[in-house]
Amino acid sequence: MATPDPGESFAEAAGEAAQTAVMSVRLVIAIADAVRRQQRRKQGAEEVLVPVERAKEDAKAELKDFLPADISAALTASADWPQMAQQLLALKRAGVDLGQLLPRVGEIAVTVRDQVAANAVRVAKEGTGEWERMLRETLPAGPVREAILSSPTWPDIAATMSQLDEGGVDVRRILAAAHDEGLGVDQAVAKVLAAGEVRTTSRDALLSYGPMTDGLDIPTNLNLDDREHALRQLSISPQENARYVRMLKEALPDHAREADLSVISRQWPLVACRMAKMEREGKPVAEHLAGLVKDTSWTDGPIPLVQAASHVLRHPVGQAPPAARPKVSTTAARLQSSTVGPTKAQTAKATTSAEPGVAAHRQTGPVAKPGKSR
C-alpha cells in the first residue's frame, strides 16, 4: 500500500476525531431526551417542540460556551443537527439546567476526541496507518467504524490485522463480516440506552453483596431506605410481601416480637425476594422456615432473625441457622488473654462455675473457717 501524505493523514484523523466526538454528544443528548419523553408519557403531557429554525439558533447559542470550536462546528454541520437542537431546547423547557448538563457533555466529547487523536498518533508511530486506511475503505462510516477507531485497543486490532495479512488471510472479508456483527451489538445496546437506563451501583447494593443475595437478581441501584420502593425493585407486590410476612410469623408463633422486628428491618426485602425465588422454583418455603424453631440460638446470638431466616431458606431443610455457635465464656477469654493474667480463683472457677454471666469478683465461694490464733 502507498504511504499517504502525513499532512493529509493528520487532517483526516483530526476530522475523524471531531466526528467521533459528535457521535458521543449525540448519544448523551438522545439518552437525556428519551428520559424526558418517558416522563412526559407517564404524565400524559402533549409533546410540543420548538420550530426547527428557531431551535437551531437558540441551541447554537447555548452550545457556544461549552464545546470546543471544532466539535461545535462539526455538530452544527451534521445532518441531524436540527433534531438535536429541538431535543436540547425541549430538555431546557422541561426544567433541565443546560448550564449543568452541557459542561459534562463537553467533557465527554473532548475526552473522545483526544482519545481518537492519541490513537491516531500511536498508530502512526507503530507503522499501522495503512490498516486504518483499509478500515476506512472497507467499512462504511457509522457506529462500528467509529467505535473501532476510538477504542484504546485499536493499535492492537491493527497489529492483528497485519499478522493475519502476512498469513495470507483476506482481512477485508473478515472486516466486512465483523461489521455486520458489530451493527447487531450496536442495535442491542442502543435499545437499552434509549430506554434511559443508567446503571450505577448503589451503596445498599454494595453492602448487601454476600450470602443474603447469593443467586438473587439484585438491581444495582437497590435502595433499602425506602421499603415500598425496594420491594418494587425486587418485583415483589404488596400482596406477596404480606404473604411472606405471614409465613414467617406462622413459623414462629412463640417469637412474635422477633418476627415483627425482622419484617421491619432494612434487610427484610432481601428475605422476601429469596422466598419469591423459592416459590418460583417450587421449593417448600414453610418447611425451610420451620428450621428456625428447631434451633432458636438466634434468639440470643449475634446473628439477627432476618439473617437466620435467610440462612435456612438458602440451605437444606434441617441445617442449623448461622447463629448456632457456642456462647463465649468471659472467664475462658480471660484465661487465654495475653494481656490479663488469670488469678488462682479464676483458674479454679473456669471449670467448676455453674453461674454464667456472674463476674468473677461477684462469685461466692466457700467461706474459710477462722483458725486458732497463736
Side-chain angles (χ1 to χ4, degrees), residues 40-347:
R40 292 186 66 85
R41 285 196 300 270
K42 288 181 179 179
Q43 299 171 0
E46 184 179 352
E47 181 75 4
V48 179
L49 296 177
V50 177
V52 173
E53 292 304 319
R54 177 184 165 191
K56 288 165 59 177
E57 293 300 321
D58 292 350
K60 186 176 181 180
E62 293 283 353
L63 288 173
K64 67 178 182 179
D65 295 328
F66 301 112
L67 292 182
D70 58 339
I71 298 177
S72 180
L75 181 64
T76 55
S78 63
D80 57 355
W81 166 240
Q83 179 186 359
M84 294 175 62
Q86 288 183 308
Q87 290 175 337
L88 275 174
L89 292 185
L91 288 168
K92 182 178 181 179
R93 294 174 66 179
V96 176
D97 187 351
L98 296 184
Q100 293 184 2
L101 174 65
L102 290 178
R104 293 194 290 268
V105 173
E107 290 177 4
I108 294 172
V110 170
T111 299
V112 171
R113 180 198 63 186
D114 294 347
Q115 186 179 56
V116 174
N119 281 342
V121 172
R122 180 183 167 193
V123 168
K125 288 181 178 180
E126 295 181 1
T128 54
E130 59 180 335
W131 301 109
E132 180 176 350
R133 193 173 72 170
M134 173 188 278
L135 189 72
R136 297 180 190 279
E137 294 172 351
T138 305
L139 304 186
V144 177
R145 195 177 79 178
E146 310 307 328
I148 295 173
L149 293 175
S150 63
S151 171
T153 62
W154 159 241
D156 299 324
I157 296 174
T160 302
M161 291 164 60
S162 178
Q163 293 173 3
L164 290 172
D165 182 71
E166 291 174 359
V169 177
D170 187 349
V171 177
R172 291 178 181 269
R173 184 175 180 180
I174 292 180
L175 285 175
H179 175 265
D180 295 338
E181 295 301 323
L183 283 179
V185 173
D186 179 75
Q187 292 168 3
V189 175
K191 289 181 180 179
V192 176
L193 296 177
E197 181 180 358
V198 182
R199 301 185 65 85
T200 56
T201 303
S202 66
R203 182 173 183 273
D204 283 336
L206 289 172
L207 295 179
S208 299
Y209 180 78
M212 289 193 71
T213 60
D214 184 29
L216 299 181
D217 185 12
I218 301 299
T220 56
N221 60 341
L222 179 65
N223 179 15
L224 295 177
D225 288 329
D226 186 336
R227 169 61 57 85
E228 294 182 0
H229 179 63
L231 291 172
R232 286 197 301 271
Q233 286 184 299
L234 298 170
S235 301
I236 299 173
S237 68
Q239 295 76 16
E240 289 174 321
N241 181 59
R243 187 172 75 254
Y244 299 144
V245 170
R246 185 169 59 252
M247 292 174 68
L248 179 67
K249 292 184 177 182
E250 289 175 352
L252 300 168
D254 298 328
H255 300 279
R257 179 177 177 276
E258 289 87 347
D260 288 338
L261 292 175
S262 294
V263 299
I264 64 174
S265 68
R266 295 180 79 255
Q267 293 178 313
W268 168 254
L270 300 177
V271 177
C273 183
R274 178 75 60 186
M275 293 184 184
K277 181 176 185 294
M278 293 178 67
E279 284 188 338
R280 291 194 299 269
E281 296 173 348
K283 295 180 180 179
V285 177
E287 291 183 21
H288 282 261
L289 290 175
L292 295 170
V293 179
K294 296 178 182 178
D295 189 326
T296 59
S297 55
W298 46 266
T299 56
D300 57 354
I303 304 298
L305 173 57
V306 67
Q307 293 186 24
S310 174
H311 179 88
V312 297
L313 291 171
R314 297 194 318 271
H315 294 83
V317 175
Q319 184 167 332
R325 61 184 69 180
K327 296 180 180 179
V328 176
S329 169
T330 55
T331 303
R334 290 192 189 97
L335 289 173
Q336 298 177 12
S337 173
S338 60
T339 57
V340 180
T343 62
K344 292 182 179 180
Q346 289 173 335
T347 304

